[in-house]
Amino acid sequence: MELDLIDVQFDLRKIRPRELEEALEDPFSVRFLPDNDRPDGASRFYALGRTVADRYLFFAFSTDGKTVRVVAAREMEESERKFYDRKYAEFR
C-alpha cells in the first residue's frame, strides 16, 4: 500500500514517515474501526502500533485498500500503551 502524507495534522519532523510505515506494518497493532459509514467508500481507522525502535504510536488513518492516508499521529498515552501491551501479551 502507498502512504499518503499530504496535508497531515502533525509534525513530520517528530514522527517520521518510516515510523508510520513500521507502525502500520506492526503485526500486533490494534486497530479500531469507527461506526460511521463514509460515502467515498474509504474506511477510517484509529490504531495503536509500535515501531522497530520500540516507539509506541497512536494514529488515525483512512484507506481505500490501495492508499493509506494518515490524518493524525502522536505518541501513545500511558493508558493506551498499557492496553497495547496487554493485547500484545495475548498474541505472544
Side-chain angles (χ1 to χ4, degrees):
M1 270 194 245
E2 182 180 330
L3 187 62
D4 177 7
L5 296 173
I6 297 172
D7 296 329
V8 296
Q9 302 298 314
F10 58 95
D11 190 352
L12 285 170
R13 292 172 294 198
K14 292 183 180 178
I15 300 176
R16 304 273 183 209
R18 182 69 195 142
E19 291 178 308
L20 291 170
E21 289 174 358
E22 291 171 0
L24 281 164
E25 294 170 1
D26 176 9
F28 302 106
S29 68
V30 180
R31 295 182 184 183
F32 305 96
L33 180 62
D35 295 334
N36 53 346
D37 293 328
R38 297 185 44 85
D40 59 3
S43 298
R44 201 165 273 193
F45 294 88
Y46 298 104
L48 306 173
R50 192 165 67 181
T51 68
V52 174
D54 218 25
R55 188 171 182 192
Y56 290 75
L57 298 177
F58 167 89
F59 49 100
F61 66 97
S62 63
T63 181
D64 61 6
K66 298 176 188 171
T67 304
V68 173
R69 183 164 191 271
V70 178
V71 179
R74 61 172 169 75
E75 294 276 344
M76 279 188 216
E77 294 178 1
E78 186 63 31
S79 61
E80 295 165 338
R81 187 173 175 155
K82 287 179 182 177
F83 181 80
Y84 176 91
D85 287 338
R86 215 172 39 246
K87 292 296 181 183
Y88 177 77
E90 290 176 11
F91 290 119
R92 279 190 7 189

